[in-house]
Structures are given as C-alpha cells and as structure tokens.
Amino acid sequence: MDNCIFCKIVKGELPSTKIYEDEKFLAFLTIEPETEGHTLLIPKEHYVWMQDTPDELLGEAFVVAKKLMQKLIDEKKCEFVKIKVIGKDVPHFHIHLVPEYSK
C-alpha cells in the first residue's frame, strides 16, 4: 500500500531500528515507546486489520511474537513482556510487544 507508513518501512523508504526480520515479518522499535524496548511486529504484506490477516500468517505472527518476547526478556532484563493488538494507530496489522520492568 503506497501511503502506509509500515509498508514504507518494509520497503526501506523510511528508517527504523530493526530487531528482527525474516521473509514474512519485520519487528522494529516504535518511535513512541511506553517502555524501553517497546517493539512493533508487522507482516511485510499489507493487511489493515487482524481479522483481514490470513489465519496461517496470523498464527505465525504470534509464534514470532513469542520468540521476540524471550529475546526482550533476555536482552532488556525485563520481568515480562505484554502484547497488545490495538489496530488503531496505523492501518496495518501489528502487534505491540511492551517490556515490563520490576519497580
């Protein structure tokens, strides 16, 4: 999709701090983090909503999210990682991975 900010990141037209990439997915740090390490995971193919995303790809996204959760726990030394699917900010399906730290 030409005007989608996440599609532009996938194409390399906009910069991002990538933390994971494979043939189907890209994960990068958000520019508006709730906590240190707040990451967005997106499919490289454009789907506006979670319900638009094919079931197989959706399942794969959550498997990748699980791997990224452990990576964040190991690297950021956080207590756990919340995941959220809000779908309102950018019209491209994405999963927020938000590290939670002990107080």
Side-chain angles (χ1 to χ4, degrees):
M1 187 140 187
D2 293 339
N3 60 347
C4 173
I5 191 169
F6 287 172
C7 288
K8 289 180 179 186
I9 290 171
V10 168
K11 293 176 190 173
E13 296 172 3
L14 292 174
S16 67
T17 303
K18 296 177 185 178
I19 66 160
Y20 176 85
E21 184 172 16
D22 66 22
E23 64 280 349
K24 295 181 183 179
F25 299 100
L26 177 64
F28 52 92
L29 297 177
T30 182
I31 59 171
E32 296 180 3
E34 290 180 29
T35 63
E36 182 184 347
H38 183 164
T39 300
L40 301 177
L41 173 63
I42 64 169
K44 288 183 173 180
E45 192 171 339
H46 184 85
Y47 299 98
V48 174
W49 303 107
M50 182 174 159
Q51 64 267 26
D52 297 331
T53 307
D55 290 347
E56 184 176 323
L57 188 66
L58 186 60
E60 291 176 38
F62 281 93
V63 170
V64 172
K66 181 180 174 183
K67 291 176 187 176
L68 291 172
M69 292 168 84
Q70 190 60 56
K71 176 182 169 105
L72 288 166
I73 289 168
D74 293 344
E75 292 180 4
K76 297 294 181 182
K77 307 299 182 209
C78 57
E79 188 174 348
F80 63 95
V81 178
K82 295 187 298 189
I83 62 168
K84 301 191 276 186
V85 178
I86 302 167
K88 180 178 160 189
D89 312 346
V90 176
H92 184 125
F93 168 61
H94 56 288
I95 299 171
H96 291 257
L97 294 104
V98 184
E100 289 289 319
Y101 299 91
S102 299
K103 299 196 175 127

